[in-house]
Amino acid sequence: MMQGTQAILPHAVCAALYGALAFYFWRRHWSDANDAATGAETGARHGIEHAALLVPFALHTWLLAGSMFGEGGMYLGVGNALSLILWLTVLIYGLGSLFYRLDGLHALVLPAAAVAVALPFVFPSTRALANTETLAFKAHLLISMAVPPYSATSAVNAWTPSRRISGAGPDDVPPKVLPRRYSIVRPS
């Protein structure tokens, strides 16, 4: 594990990258200037945005792996657990945005990831967990860490109106994402 300034610098860079992307997505996707873009410009911009998201995500992955897996086993403290949950949330939104238009949600997820990337440094795990080599523990850990991001995704999708997420009408959004007012059967 890194010590002192060497340890804080990668966390600060990753948090700054997530923060800059959050600011970009906030300005880009929640402003009226976005409506003037053509289809070709929008497609090219989405590709660049997805590539830009890979940089802080890869750095977050490296930092998280370094703080969780050390000499003597696996370290899973509160900081690592929260950082892992937000890492999985960014992964889910990143993959989901390849198939659905979830552009506006990046502006909500990335600031939380910017804070969470520093949590393993602020709240380090002091000792290795026991029995981390057993298959039962690994399965339990995988399930328990994968559930909160899916719950957060469901809660945000239920809370955010579909028109604000995608900029499209209710016909373009999967049925589970629709608010109650659109769940009435449409006339043929």
Side-chain angles (χ1 to χ4, degrees):
M1 289 208 204
M2 297 182 286
Q3 299 295 324
T5 307
Q6 292 177 343
I8 190 69
L9 187 60
H11 288 85
V13 167
C14 189
L17 289 172
Y18 273 139
L21 280 173
F23 179 74
Y24 167 77
F25 279 112
W26 185 269
R27 299 271 301 159
R28 156 103 170 68
H29 296 290
W30 291 49
S31 70
D32 294 332
N34 184 30
D35 298 337
T38 65
E41 291 172 356
T42 304
R45 196 170 15 207
H46 283 299
I48 293 169
E49 290 169 353
H50 288 295
L53 187 59
L54 286 176
V55 175
F57 182 76
L59 184 55
H60 191 177
T61 303
W62 177 71
L63 290 169
L64 197 56
S67 67
M68 285 182 63
F69 304 107
E71 318 77 43
M74 181 176 175
Y75 296 82
L76 187 63
V78 124
N80 284 336
L82 291 173
S83 185
L84 180 61
I85 289 169
L86 264 297
W87 178 85
L88 284 169
T89 303
V90 171
L91 175 67
I92 291 166
Y93 278 120
L95 291 175
S97 68
L98 293 173
F99 303 103
Y100 299 107
R101 292 200 54 204
L102 303 173
D103 300 332
L105 294 179
H106 287 306
L108 300 173
V109 171
L110 294 177
V115 171
V117 76
L119 291 177
F121 182 76
V122 176
F123 302 110
S125 182
T126 56
R127 61 186 176 95
L129 297 174
N131 302 320
T132 56
E133 69 280 349
T134 64
L135 182 62
F137 178 81
K138 291 176 183 177
H140 169 76
L141 182 69
L142 178 66
I143 292 168
S144 65
M145 287 293 135
V147 169
Y150 289 115
S151 299
T153 304
S154 300
V156 169
N157 283 336
W159 170 73
T160 308
S162 63
R163 290 177 188 255
R164 199 61 178 153
I165 293 174
S166 65
D171 295 333
D172 299 332
V173 181
K176 294 288 183 188
V177 178
L178 293 176
R180 268 239 193 264
R181 66 176 180 230
Y182 293 127
S183 64
I184 300 171
V185 177
R186 296 183 195 111
S188 307

